[in-house]
Amino acid sequence: MSTIITHEHAHHFYDNEQQASSAKLGMWLFLVTEVLLFSGLFVAYTVVKSLHPEMWRVASSQLDWVMGSVNTLVLITSSWTVALAVRAAQTNEKGEKNSQIVGLLAFTILCAFGFLIVKYFEYSHKIHDGLLWGKSYFNHPEAIEHLKEGIKQTFSMDVTALSSPEFLAGLKAHTAAGTHDGQHLIHHYASTVTYADTLMTVEQGHLFFGVYFLLTGLHGIHVVIGMSVLAWVLVLAQKGRFYKDYYTPVELGGLYWHLVDLIWIYLFPLLYLV
Amino acid sequence: MSSNTQANPEYQLGEKESTNYINASKGLMSWLFTIDHKRIGLMYLFTIMGTFALGGFLALAVRLELFTPGQTIMGPDAYNRVFTLHGLVMVFLFIIPGIPAALGNFVMPLMLGAKDVAFPKLNLASFHIYVIGTVMALYTTLDGGVDTGWTFYTPYSSTIDSQVVMMTMSAFVLGFSSIFTGLNFVVTIHKMRAPGMTWDRLPLFVWALYATAIIQVMATPVLGITLLLLAMERVMGIGIFDPALGGDPVLFQHFFWFYSHPAVYIMILPGMGVMSELITTFSRKRIFGYRAIALSSIAIAVISFLVWGHHMFVSGQSAYAGMVFSFLTFLVAIPSGIKIINWSTTLYKGAISLDAPMVWALSFLILFTIGGLTGIFLGALGTDIHLHDTYFVVAHFHYVMMGGTAMAFFGGMHYWWPKMFGKMYNEFAARLAAWTVFVGFNVTFFPQFIMGSRGMPRRYYDYLPESGYQIFHQISTVGSWILLLGMLIMAVNLFSSLKNGKEASSNPWEARSLEWLTQSPPIEHNFHEIPTVVEGPYEFPIATATATPQGAESSDP
Amino acid sequence: MESTTQTGSFWMPPQASTTAAEVDSLFDFIMDLNYIFFAIIFAMTVYFVVKYQKTDENPIATSDLSHNTVWEGLWTFIPLVLCLIVFVWGFRVFLNNTVAPDNAMEINVTAQKWSWSFKYDDGQTTSDLYAPAGQPVKLILKSKDVLHSFYVPDFRIKSDVVPGRYTTVWFEAMKPGDHRIFCTEYCGRQHSGMYRTVHVLSAEDFAKKKSDGFEGRPEGQDPAVWGKQLYSKYGCNACHGLEEGEVKVGPSFYGIYGRKGETADGQSYVANEEYIRESIMEPMAKIVKGYAPAMPSFKDQIGGDQMDAIIAFMKTLK
């Protein structure tokens, strides 16, 4: 179906080799800038987390790690298929493997699409629960209730009883007597205090979700850009442009896609598992 | 031998080709959508002249307002907007792109013996993005402006009622332009060098651009994300910088200076590169300490990433953070000092002529020395506490940025003007302009050191008449008028040369690097054949020198 | 306000704190280095430029010197050593200037757009700072809104004032006298108007004035006159003019007492004593139509006597 077009290098290069290696170096530098862009957000993540460690623990438990894991698997698979596509282009003898390249790229794009669908469900869940950033968080009182519920489960105790006046009076008496019971109660009391402290921190929960939406949102934009780049490469592959002497776009598109995956590999544990 | 022109007859080249890059194609579109690095360089040059003029007039307005205490020509709100815009325009629209994107774009591929930069379309895209960012900044100004200072410190910037989001987005967009230029230059310098152009034969201007480009690529994304966070802070109320929401306002300063301190070197390194070219050419002598200058550019680029905290000695950061940042700041001073002494030593036993570019270069040498030395006061913790955020700082960075980079920019512009347009300007007027600017500059900024160390804070709309600062303000304002005069002489001289100037030969300064091998103005693809380089860029005529720049085969007809 | 910057050295304002002399001797040392190095570079450059002019006799360079390891080593090493000296010296001065002595008297400072308030251990607050001579004073700084910076040139002290955290700065004034306070972190419209004064008093005067109230109405002074002083002391003048119809950030005080008008949410008001008191304490309660809700509260700063005096002053404006 396709006619083979031999690629000519641009006028200002000596040869294809110089052009390809320039393009590759340029892409690597671009990836460096991308990493630095995200690193800014990672620093924000670290600082906010160290300011409010308790809140962070509580708020991050609101994320659905199953969905996160599914997405991680999806992206790792897509990284593998895009690598295979590059391999296919490298070993393509003018037109022999065009459909293989196209198929692998299409599968990669499909994975990216799947990732976005999962992300859509996650986002709509968070939006429904009001687990949002900044002011929007405070506009949804149910969000704070939600977190408080989470804390109760984490501490798994009848907290109302622990903070009741009767309990405190009992605690005082037992402590004065120095009984074993007293030690036990003190332990419980300490938990109550931690519990109360933790409860206070949910006010700052919006910071976690702010960082969450910034990081995953920026990453999501990169997924969309990656999909578009790969789609463009797919169209060119369809036309039979790529073979063993010229496959730079496939390679660069692949590199970009690996970066998108790599960032997610960092995001997933930092947001969902920590 | 009685003169070097006889010793090197090929300096006087024969007939020019009638087609060059300027007249190769016609029409506005052939310029706006060109991918020729020379045309892109010129478009940058003219745009940047415009932004410099704008920033300059804003500065004149600031100086005029401070001529008397109280209201002189505008109210405090207008003043705050004017000084903010002056800073933003000068930093983001003039000084960062100034030398790399205008002069570098034009000269660097020629110096490498290449036909273009590695990614010509990306180069054009950088320019378009730059224009879009500029238009956004100007639109924001008309739409109410921004009064935060160019540093956008939170929480003022995140709470105040002005066009901060639009302005940060403009700087964000400009950042992309800067990143793309840097990326393009790194790849070009790695991959596009002519045969024989080894790293130790690269002109030092190229080394400086290389170091600059590395910083542009590594630091600018952090600015991007910082401004994005600030915009999100305003639009979404995300709270990372807002203490009321549990955030940390000082975090913004860390982010901002992590970019903006390296950015200071994005501004000065290319100027240092230009200096190395001018000093050697006009003393007709090999540079002293080629390797030391080249490596010190790289050293500066690396250390520049580790000193951002010296902008924050009084911000409440820990004393030990202050100590580390102060220490590293002194380390970064050393490579700059080495460069200054090396340039000065290059003059030793040279054959010096005080052509206009050299006058600018000597201005740079003197002013940058003052700027650098006064930096020691600010790097030392004990004295910085007193001087921080006073006019002393204002004077210091103007000596470095304007006395340094801007002087180098004008020097470079005069140096490469004949190459760019094939015309010579009036030499007398050019020297007069350079000397006038030198005098005006010192009259404007030296009094600011004194009033600064005597306690006058910066970004002040007003000062008390009895405070004793007024006389310094008035001298400074008068100086700004002398500066204006110098700039006007320069502008009239350069522009009239385009019409009335004498034809320039391919190598009017008898310089030794490759851009002087091709004709003036250059042909469309720079060289008919890629030259082969056999020697370094500063092999000036002594007994053993070969005839052409870097010993390359002449590619002119 | 007395001028405080017309004396001192050529470069520096007067030394009024115990640490100022240390800062200045470091400053002078660096200045000497500056003069020496500038002289060397300048002399070298000018000498070479004059001596090695290109002429018909001297058409080409007479040396091919490309480097000299010994010299280069020297001019790397010597500045490096000097820089290290300055660094260590600077750090020591900094520590002395930052770490307050244990016996320091503590004063809480609050900055807001565009005024300062100083709160002493007995609970009274002032808009200028009062301090005893010969006694270390530690200031604990906080901000109500944006960044400010507390700077007293004569004391060589400065610290940013950051919302959401505390910063500190200390000084020991040497003798009675007045010194200017500046704000040195840009904070908007009236940034340059945010200057106040440190009144250094002898220990006895300080104790006496403190028990009388630092900013109480001077004996026998007309309350309206005192009110006018308070008007500029608290920075009301930054936003409220005294001329008829003058519009700054807020409405003019001309004819304010008894003025009738409408608030932003459409209610009508009469500017009587209670309205004025409320507007100063709870500025957001009633915003005059056409003005931005920009005024900070003066709840912790303006006391009962002062409020009466300000109202008395307002009554005279017609």
Side-chain angles (χ1 to χ4, degrees):
Chain A
M1 125 226 131
S2 57
T3 47
I4 304 301
I5 302 151
T6 309
H7 188 78
E8 284 291 325
H9 58 86
H11 79 277
H12 59 294
F13 290 110
Y14 313 139
D15 53 26
N16 278 337
E17 204 283 317
Q18 189 194 21
Q19 177 159 7
S21 71
S22 298
K24 218 157 131 183
L25 178 61
M27 192 64 195
W28 277 108
L29 284 169
F30 181 68
L31 297 188
V32 167
T33 68
E34 290 279 21
V35 168
L36 284 158
L37 187 75
F38 274 94
S39 71
L41 283 180
F42 283 125
V43 170
Y45 168 99
T46 313
V47 171
V48 179
K49 181 167 181 253
S50 68
L51 285 175
H52 309 285
E54 255 100 48
M55 172 279 283
W56 207 261
R57 199 160 49 96
V58 173
S60 68
S61 67
Q62 290 296 315
L63 297 186
D64 187 340
W65 66 271
V66 177
M67 282 196 179
S69 309
V70 169
N71 261 348
T72 309
L73 280 179
V74 167
L75 280 191
I76 291 176
T77 313
S78 74
S79 236
W80 181 57
T81 53
V82 86
L84 288 179
V86 175
R87 180 75 199 143
Q90 279 173 337
T91 53
N92 188 10
E93 292 285 346
K94 299 212 173 187
E96 180 187 79
K97 292 182 180 168
N98 284 346
S99 56
Q100 197 183 337
I101 306 173
V102 170
L104 285 163
L105 287 173
F107 184 79
T108 309
I109 296 171
L110 206 67
C111 283
F113 200 67
F115 175 89
L116 290 177
I117 290 173
V118 174
K119 207 77 225 155
Y120 168 77
F121 281 113
E122 280 194 78
Y123 272 12
S124 41
H125 193 74
K126 295 283 163 297
I127 292 167
H128 175 260
D129 288 349
L131 297 172
L132 295 167
W133 53 84
K135 289 167 195 153
S136 322
Y137 179 79
F138 294 107
N139 292 340
H140 295 79
E142 71 270 21
I144 296 176
E145 288 312 312
H146 219 87
L147 282 192
K148 286 186 177 164
E149 192 53 44
I151 298 170
K152 277 182 194 160
Q153 279 163 19
T154 319
F155 281 82
S156 65
M157 60 170 79
D158 183 6
V159 189
T160 26
L162 277 173
S163 52
S164 67
E166 295 81 23
F167 171 81
L168 291 174
L171 175 74
K172 215 171 170 183
H174 280 293
T175 317
T179 58
H180 174 72
D181 236 14
Q183 295 294 323
H184 183 69
L185 281 172
I186 286 169
H187 179 71
H188 265 273
Y189 183 67
S191 306
T192 339
V193 174
T194 324
Y195 165 77
D197 281 353
T198 315
L199 221 49
M200 299 276 285
T201 64
V202 297
E203 291 286 312
Q204 263 101 40
H206 69 92
L207 281 172
F208 175 83
F209 295 103
V211 171
Y212 166 79
F213 277 102
L214 276 177
L215 273 168
T216 54
L218 191 64
H219 178 258
I221 292 172
H222 279 76
V223 172
V224 173
I225 296 171
M227 280 170 76
S228 324
V229 170
L230 291 179
W232 172 68
V233 174
L234 185 147
V235 171
L236 291 182
Q238 184 86 28
K239 290 182 185 160
R241 287 285 171 79
F242 306 122
Y243 62 106
K244 67 180 181 2
D245 290 336
Y246 177 69
Y247 52 86
T248 310
V250 193
E251 199 181 13
L252 299 192
L255 272 178
Y256 187 79
W257 190 250
H258 287 317
L259 175 91
V260 172
D261 293 354
L262 186 71
I263 290 171
W264 179 258
I265 301 291
Y266 279 94
L267 287 187
F268 172 60
L270 285 176
L271 290 170
Y272 290 75
L273 303 182
V274 173
Chain B
M1 83 195 88
S2 64
S3 87
N4 49 347
T5 45
Q6 281 177 10
N8 301 285
E10 286 184 46
Y11 275 135
Q12 307 297 333
L13 286 157
E15 287 161 46
K16 283 185 189 177
E17 268 182 63
S18 55
T19 343
N20 56 47
Y21 81 101
I22 295 176
N23 61 18
S25 51
K26 291 211 158 48
L28 186 62
M29 290 302 142
S30 78
W31 281 85
L32 289 183
F33 295 98
T34 181
I35 53 166
D36 180 350
H37 70 98
K38 299 182 289 301
R39 285 187 163 204
I40 294 173
L42 282 203
M43 290 196 290
Y44 263 117
L45 184 68
F46 287 112
T47 320
I48 282 166
M49 283 180 186
T51 55
F52 177 73
L54 172 65
F57 282 116
L58 293 166
L60 287 168
V62 166
R63 285 304 340 149
L64 193 56
E65 171 54 42
L66 293 171
F67 194 75
T68 62
Q71 178 161 345
T72 311
I73 54 166
M74 56 184 144
D77 289 334
Y79 177 84
N80 292 342
R81 280 167 171 72
V82 166
F83 86 70
T84 298
L85 194 63
H86 164 72
L88 285 167
V89 166
M90 286 302 195
V91 168
F92 289 111
L93 300 181
F94 168 64
I95 211 161
I96 287 180
I99 295 179
L103 302 180
N105 238 326
F106 188 95
V107 177
M108 191 264 286
L110 289 166
M111 282 182 155
L112 295 179
K115 289 186 170 175
D116 209 319
V117 293
F119 310 117
K121 285 179 197 154
L122 185 67
N123 201 17
L124 177 65
S126 300
F127 176 69
H128 286 166
I129 294 170
Y130 171 76
V131 172
I132 292 169
T134 307
V135 170
M136 281 169 73
L138 298 182
Y139 171 77
T140 313
T141 308
L142 297 177
D143 195 30
V146 169
D147 69 339
T148 58
W150 80 279
T151 48
F152 296 118
Y153 271 16
T154 54
Y156 187 79
S157 61
S158 52
T159 51
I160 194 71
D161 184 26
S162 65
Q163 302 294 330
V164 174
V165 172
M166 187 71 176
M167 195 55 104
T168 52
M169 285 302 100
S170 150
F172 182 77
V173 167
L174 289 166
F176 272 100
S177 165
S178 186
I179 289 175
F180 289 150
T181 303
L183 188 154
N184 216 337
F185 280 17
V186 173
V187 177
T188 305
I189 294 169
H190 268 281
K191 298 289 179 183
M192 308 292 286
R193 284 170 286 133
M197 182 61 88
T198 51
W199 285 90
D200 58 1
R201 287 179 187 155
L202 281 180
L204 287 167
F205 182 50
V206 177
W207 267 104
L209 286 178
Y210 183 73
T212 309
I214 298 266
I215 311 179
Q216 283 178 306
V217 169
M218 304 276 287
T220 319
V222 179
L223 175 75
I225 199 69
T226 309
L227 296 176
L228 208 59
L229 281 172
L230 176 57
M232 291 297 130
E233 185 90 16
R234 286 185 68 96
V235 175
M236 294 162 57
I238 217 148
I240 290 175
F241 302 133
D242 183 354
L245 287 173
D248 181 359
V250 180
L251 178 62
F252 178 84
Q253 295 178 34
H254 282 289
F255 269 130
F256 183 81
W257 289 114
F258 183 82
Y259 164 75
S260 292
H261 194 79
V264 167
Y265 295 98
I266 294 180
M267 303 177 209
I268 191 64
L269 278 171
M272 292 171 159
V274 172
M275 272 297 284
S276 300
E277 303 303 313
L278 301 185
I279 291 276
T280 48
T281 299
F282 294 96
S283 41
R284 288 165 189 81
K285 185 160 167 285
R286 191 194 291 241
I287 190 105
F288 185 90
Y290 175 92
R291 196 161 287 234
I293 293 182
L295 293 182
S296 62
S297 291
I298 304 297
I300 287 173
V302 173
I303 307 176
S304 72
F305 281 95
L306 306 172
V307 297
W308 77 89
H310 72 212
H311 295 268
M312 300 165 60
F313 285 159
V314 301
S315 70
Q317 71 180 357
S318 81
Y320 294 97
M323 181 185 80
V324 171
F325 284 124
S326 169
F327 178 74
L328 291 165
T329 302
F330 282 112
L331 284 193
V332 84
I334 301 297
S336 305
I338 290 175
K339 282 177 190 252
I340 291 181
I341 303 180
N342 282 2
W343 292 320
S344 193
T345 313
T346 301
L347 301 170
Y348 172 70
K349 290 194 176 174
I352 299 165
S353 52
L354 288 177
D355 294 307
M358 185 61 159
V359 177
W360 290 107
L362 293 175
S363 295
F364 177 111
L365 195 60
I366 303 296
L367 302 177
F368 185 75
T369 302
I370 298 177
L373 287 171
T374 49
I376 301 176
F377 293 100
L378 303 171
L381 283 159
T383 38
D384 180 69
I385 301 303
H386 175 63
L387 298 170
H388 186 86
D389 271 339
T390 66
Y391 262 78
F392 194 91
V393 178
V394 177
H396 161 71
F397 71 70
H398 278 93
Y399 264 85
V400 177
M401 293 291 114
M402 186 175 179
T405 309
M407 298 295 149
F409 177 75
F410 296 129
M413 200 160 77
H414 282 84
Y415 180 56
W416 285 301
W417 193 265
K419 179 57 64 186
M420 289 172 167
F421 301 102
K423 300 282 188 181
M424 295 302 288
Y425 42 80
N426 180 310
E427 178 63 26
F428 173 78
R431 291 186 201 186
L432 180 69
W435 285 116
T436 313
V437 168
F438 179 76
V439 171
F441 179 87
N442 282 299
V443 176
T444 307
F445 291 105
F446 200 80
Q448 299 187 1
F449 279 124
I450 306 168
M451 67 172 144
S453 71
R454 295 179 68 93
M456 172 78 204
R458 68 192 282 205
R459 295 177 168 175
Y460 262 31
Y461 163 71
D462 196 6
Y463 50 91
L464 293 169
E466 68 272 19
S467 60
Y469 299 134
Q470 186 172 8
I471 181 69
F472 299 113
H473 278 300
Q474 291 188 332
I475 298 172
S476 184
T477 304
V478 171
S480 72
W481 300 334
I482 306 176
L483 262 179
L484 172 67
L485 178 69
M487 295 292 173
L488 287 177
I489 299 173
M490 176 176 78
V492 170
N493 184 30
L494 287 179
F495 283 107
S496 68
S497 80
L498 294 180
K499 263 198 126 155
N500 313 319
K502 279 188 304 188
E503 292 287 310
S505 72
S506 68
N507 191 357
W509 315 115
E510 301 169 6
R512 303 294 302 173
S513 44
L514 281 186
E515 77 271 29
W516 305 105
L517 187 65
T518 183
Q519 68 171 38
S520 309
I523 55 170
E524 221 183 337
H525 296 309
N526 296 354
F527 305 98
H528 285 299
E529 278 166 41
I530 297 295
T532 301
V533 173
V534 300
E535 62 184 23
Y538 306 114
E539 303 295 329
F540 284 88
I542 52 166
T544 57
T546 44
T548 53
Q550 302 205 263
E553 291 295 311
S554 169
S555 81
D556 264 42
Chain C
M1 200 177 291
E2 305 84 325
S3 162
T4 54
T5 48
Q6 279 166 359
T7 47
S9 69
F10 176 72
W11 288 104
M12 283 295 208
Q15 299 174 350
S17 73
T18 49
T19 53
E22 283 175 44
V23 175
D24 288 9
S25 48
L26 175 60
F27 185 92
D28 292 341
F29 177 71
I30 302 175
M31 190 53 91
D32 291 341
L33 290 182
N34 269 238
Y35 289 141
I36 294 169
F37 277 92
F38 182 74
I40 293 174
I41 300 283
F42 188 77
M44 260 170 81
T45 307
V46 171
Y47 178 74
F48 292 156
V49 167
V50 172
K51 167 125 186 184
Y52 302 113
Q53 282 282 320
K54 184 190 177 201
T55 57
D56 286 345
E57 290 76 47
N58 178 31
I60 55 171
T62 52
S63 159
D64 197 24
L65 185 66
S66 69
H67 64 280
N68 180 321
T69 314
V70 174
W71 279 101
E72 287 179 82
L74 268 181
W75 68 53
T76 307
F77 183 70
I78 295 175
L80 186 64
V81 170
L82 290 171
C83 275
L84 288 179
I85 293 173
V86 172
F87 158 69
V88 173
W89 191 344
F91 183 56
R92 291 177 60 164
V93 171
F94 173 74
L95 281 187
N96 287 347
N97 241 327
T98 328
V99 183
D102 292 338
N103 62 339
M105 165 197 289
E106 290 189 354
I107 297 174
N108 282 287
V109 183
T110 306
Q112 66 184 44
K113 291 184 205 170
W114 290 282
S115 64
W116 300 94
S117 94
F118 302 92
K119 189 170 190 176
Y120 304 82
D121 55 1
D122 63 354
Q124 68 171 308
T125 60
T126 58
S127 61
D128 275 355
L129 173 61
Y130 294 83
Q135 150 87 39
V137 175
K138 180 180 177 184
L139 303 176
I140 299 156
L141 308 151
K142 66 168 195 269
S143 167
K144 274 193 184 172
D145 39 42
V146 299
L147 293 175
H148 300 278
S149 192
F150 181 88
Y151 177 37
V152 183
D154 295 354
F155 294 166
R156 317 283 189 271
I157 56 168
K158 185 180 286 137
S159 176
D160 279 7
V161 188
V162 184
R165 44 162 97 165
Y166 292 94
T167 51
T168 62
V169 76
W170 80 277
F171 63 88
E172 181 181 333
M174 294 191 294
K175 55 178 194 274
D178 286 355
H179 307 282
R180 190 155 293 126
I181 301 167
F182 286 122
C183 174
T184 47
E185 190 66 80
Y186 176 73
C187 57
R189 186 178 220 275
Q190 286 296 331
H191 171 49
S192 60
M194 209 170 144
Y195 59 83
R196 288 294 178 275
T197 302
V198 192
H199 303 280
V200 178
L201 309 170
S202 68
E204 306 82 64
D205 286 356
F206 181 82
K208 180 174 181 303
K209 260 210 131 161
K210 190 175 172 192
S211 63
D212 293 351
F214 289 117
E215 292 182 346
R217 178 158 60 94
E219 203 81 14
Q221 190 182 42
D222 177 7
V225 174
W226 188 42
K228 182 167 188 182
Q229 290 167 0
L230 295 172
Y231 160 79
S232 33
K233 235 170 196 178
Y234 285 111
C236 314
N237 55 349
C239 304
H240 300 279
L242 299 179
E243 302 301 318
E244 185 165 11
E246 187 179 358
V247 177
K248 288 179 159 181
V249 176
S252 167
F253 281 168
Y254 183 87
I256 187 161
Y257 188 77
R259 188 190 288 162
K260 294 188 180 70
E262 201 179 325
T263 61
D265 51 5
Q267 293 167 306
S268 58
Y269 72 87
V270 181
N272 54 18
E273 275 89 352
E274 181 48 28
Y275 169 85
I276 293 171
R277 204 195 65 80
E278 185 190 49
S279 294
I280 293 173
M281 297 301 184
E282 307 281 352
M284 294 304 129
K286 294 194 177 79
I287 308 289
V288 178
K289 197 172 185 170
Y291 291 92
M295 181 163 158
S297 164
F298 288 83
K299 206 173 198 164
D300 306 328
Q301 299 170 43
I302 298 185
D305 285 358
Q306 298 183 340
M307 185 67 74
D308 294 343
I310 289 170
I311 294 172
F313 166 58
M314 284 176 173
K315 285 179 180 169
T316 66
L317 298 170
K318 55 191 172 200

